[in-house]
Amino acid sequence: MSNTAINNLNVAKFGGTSVANFAAMQNCANIIKNNPNTKVVVVSASAGVTNLLVDIAHTAMSKEQIRQKLSEIDSIQQAILQALKNIDEVEPKLQQLQSSLSELALHEEINHRADLKDSLLSHGERMSSLLFSAVLNQFDVKAENFDVRNVLKTDSEFGQAVPNLEQIAIAAKQLMLPALVDSVLVTQGFVGSDQQGNTTTLGRGGSDFTAALLAEGLGAETCEIWTDVIGVYTTDPRITASARPLPELSFEEAAEMATFGAKVLHPATMEPALRQDIKVFVGSSKEPEKGGTWIVRDCVTEPSYRAITRRKEQVMVTVKTPKMMYAQGFLQKVFTIIAEHKLSVDLITTSEISVSFTLDNPANSVLKRLNQETIEELGQFCDVLVEENYDLVTVVGNNMHSAAGVSSKIFAAVADYNLRMICYGANPHNLSLLVNDSDSQDVVCALHRALFE
Ligand code: ASP
Ligand code: MG
């Protein structure tokens, strides 16, 4: 078989809740069966497993505590294994993974070496993909478990590895396409390998990104993201019960939403889709009959307001130098440091002697460490003020800075709240407000009422 593309290829990704247990996996098997174009399946770790692995990787624990966490992971996977008909075939492979997992978990340097952490984290997806391929076989879908590390090549930024697109495209066509003729490949989201072959990971929630990257590399037509909600909503339904699912979204809108905190999609997911014009579907594996959201290049409608997102745990950094008025290159220096730490800045305002910007600051993440290093380096040549306890609320839509009345409606809705920073995006698709975290829920509700209800 030559390495030519397969017509109408669909890559389907199933999130942690979709592969949480045998019954959930059974729903996914039906979804795969119902679409003969689904030839590549990307899975997350079973719900809860990655969090347990992150605990082991990040927290200093006694051997006893580590064993406790391992046994919690084990009982999640055992429950699935025991529901299989061909236990004998799968069990030795699962045991192998469990023993390499416990070896890493009990490694003396597990809390201190990023490469070991990534190897440890990869076990969640390696176990779920092994089990899910067995579930598919049991439901008469010929499936093979495929090690994504042979294809998903990255740099060596453990915990937040950057994919190498050329290598992925070549390897995906060479190693995956030929196998797709007569079988479904079940592979791991979130996991990759660097140039030396060390295991890497793409950052939390990275399985969506994996699916989009493989879809791109394989020249797929569509990429389905199956999760536990029936699509992308006007806002997080946990914030307001008035939130409603969206039938369609543009690539740009979806990218903005993911970047600014919508939890349904990993922020980088839309990049490959945009480059290759791959239609992305988001739906619930529990209720596939309810449909979902299609994310496409050209939508039927282009409303001024599409959705509202919230991103928590923002810090606002203000750097100040009395010399800024004269010092050309000050901004450049500031942003070089930020770039060197691979941080992305979302909001910026400047005055004559200061620059303020926001950084994402989720607890326990790689970003948190990078933020600290960045702030220390900035402190060497200017005054740095760090303010915490902010959330970012973003209205996503179209022609946000040109259509008359678009922003005035937004500001009228939030007139009662203290807005620490207001920013139009560099593109016409967002307007962001930095607010006190204690206000953010109310701000989202007020905006949702004014713009959507
Ligand atoms: N299992 C990983 C996580 O929980 C990746 C993913 O599910 O997308 O972050
Ligand atoms: Mg996810």
Side-chain angles (χ1 to χ4, degrees):
M1 160 79 193
S2 69
N3 297 337
T4 49
I6 291 189
N7 284 340
N8 308 320
L9 176 64
N10 178 44
V11 175
K13 178 257 171 177
F14 295 91
T17 49
S18 301
V19 293
N21 51 50
F22 186 78
M25 284 187 172
Q26 208 170 328
N27 293 334
C28 303
N30 282 325
I31 289 171
I32 292 165
K33 268 185 128 164
N34 285 336
N35 184 355
N37 294 324
T38 305
K39 290 298 213 164
V40 175
V41 170
V42 175
V43 292
S44 289
S46 300
V49 170
T50 305
N51 284 346
L52 288 161
L53 292 170
V54 167
D55 285 349
I56 297 173
H58 287 280
T59 346
M61 284 188 266
S62 67
K63 296 244 175 317
E64 199 37 55
Q65 287 168 313
I66 293 172
R67 289 206 179 87
Q68 172 58 35
K69 299 270 177 199
L70 288 173
S71 95
E72 283 177 52
I73 294 170
D74 187 41
S75 49
I76 296 172
Q77 313 290 223
Q78 277 300 324
I80 302 171
L81 180 75
Q82 295 308 323
L84 292 174
K85 288 202 182 110
N86 58 343
I87 298 186
D88 294 348
E89 205 183 299
V90 184
E91 195 166 25
K93 294 180 190 159
L94 186 63
Q95 267 167 5
Q96 228 168 39
L97 285 169
Q98 283 169 327
S99 66
S100 66
L101 169 59
S102 60
E103 199 177 307
L104 283 161
L106 295 163
H107 193 291
E108 276 172 20
E109 286 181 287
I110 188 64
N111 294 151
H112 308 291
R113 275 179 49 191
D115 59 335
L116 296 180
K117 289 182 191 180
D118 272 8
S119 292
L120 178 92
L121 292 179
S122 74
H123 282 74
E125 272 71 9
R126 286 158 69 193
M127 291 188 289
S128 64
S129 61
L130 170 68
L131 292 165
F132 187 58
S133 56
V135 170
L136 279 180
N137 283 321
Q138 186 160 325
F139 287 95
D140 303 321
V141 178
K142 189 166 173 248
E144 260 173 66
N145 187 15
F146 180 84
D147 190 336
V148 82
R149 292 173 296 181
N150 295 322
V151 167
L152 214 123
K153 301 308 286 184
T154 69
D155 68 5
S156 303
E157 189 69 44
F158 296 105
Q160 196 82 352
V162 177
N164 182 313
L165 303 179
E166 290 83 49
Q167 288 181 321
I168 293 170
I170 292 169
K173 289 191 182 80
Q174 235 166 40
L175 304 175
M176 296 179 89
L177 270 190
L180 301 183
V181 182
D182 62 356
S183 127
V184 168
L185 291 186
V186 178
T187 197
Q188 306 79 37
F190 178 56
V191 176
S193 77
D194 73 2
Q195 303 304 314
Q196 289 73 45
N198 301 305
T199 301
T200 56
T201 63
L202 303 178
R204 291 305 304 268
S207 296
D208 302 336
F209 190 25
T210 304
L213 287 166
L214 293 180
E216 177 179 37
L218 292 164
E221 176 97 6
T222 51
C223 177
E224 296 173 348
I225 306 288
W226 294 98
T227 171
D228 52 4
V229 286
I230 51 175
V232 182
Y233 281 64
T234 46
T235 196
D236 186 339
R238 284 163 299 193
I239 299 181
T240 163
S242 313
R244 51 170 200 267
L246 293 160
E248 61 163 9
L249 269 178
S250 70
F251 289 142
E252 288 83 4
E253 290 167 336
E256 294 296 314
M257 287 184 71
T259 305
F260 288 107
K263 289 275 151 51
V264 249
L265 283 177
H266 182 278
T269 312
M270 297 321 299
E271 293 167 10
L274 195 84
R275 282 192 295 264
Q276 290 297 314
D277 201 0
I278 300 162
K279 297 180 199 66
V280 177
F281 173 84
V282 181
S284 162
S285 62
K286 237 192 259 167
E287 306 173 294
E289 69 287 351
K290 291 209 169 144
T293 305
W294 276 102
I295 307 170
V296 295
R297 173 157 292 171
D298 299 307
C299 288
V300 180
T301 62
E302 223 179 61
S304 299
Y305 316 108
R306 183 79 82 180
I308 303 161
T309 60
R310 172 174 69 170
R311 206 164 73 187
K312 297 175 74 69
E313 295 170 315
Q314 302 300 294
V315 291
M316 179 165 129
V317 181
T318 302
V319 290
K320 209 178 206 172
T321 163
K323 295 190 224 83
M324 186 172 166
M325 283 183 283
Y326 321 103
Q328 285 182 1
F330 173 69
L331 278 181
Q332 190 190 348
K333 230 164 139 186
V334 169
F335 287 105
T336 303
I337 289 176
I338 290 168
E340 274 165 4
H341 291 286
K342 299 201 170 126
L343 289 174
S344 76
V345 163
D346 302 305
L347 302 196
I348 308 176
T349 56
T350 57
S351 77
E352 215 160 6
I353 60 155
S354 70
V355 190
S356 299
F357 53 87
T358 61
L359 294 172
D360 218 13
N361 202 40
N364 238 343
S365 71
V366 181
L367 283 179
K368 187 136 189 159
R369 169 176 65 79
L370 297 180
N371 285 341
Q372 268 148 13
E373 288 172 14
T374 306
I375 287 162
E376 275 161 31
E377 279 180 41
L378 290 170
Q380 284 164 14
F381 69 96
C382 53
D383 296 337
V384 185
L385 175 69
V386 179
E387 295 171 63
E388 301 202 27
N389 305 324
Y390 289 116
D391 289 351
L392 195 59
V393 174
T394 302
V395 180
V396 174
N398 295 280
N399 306 317
M400 306 275 307
H401 32 36
S402 50
V406 169
S407 46
S408 58
K409 200 164 168 186
I410 292 173
F411 295 128
V414 297
D416 293 343
Y417 302 95
N418 179 24
L419 309 178
R420 190 64 186 82
M421 219 162 145
I422 301 168
C423 270
Y424 284 99
N427 61 40
H429 300 291
N430 77 70
L431 196 167
S432 290
L433 312 169
L434 191 69
V435 302
N436 294 330
D437 55 5
S438 53
D439 285 340
S440 69
Q441 168 129 3
D442 296 341
V443 168
V444 172
C445 291
L447 284 168
H448 199 271
R449 268 195 304 280
L451 308 180
F452 298 111
E453 293 167 34

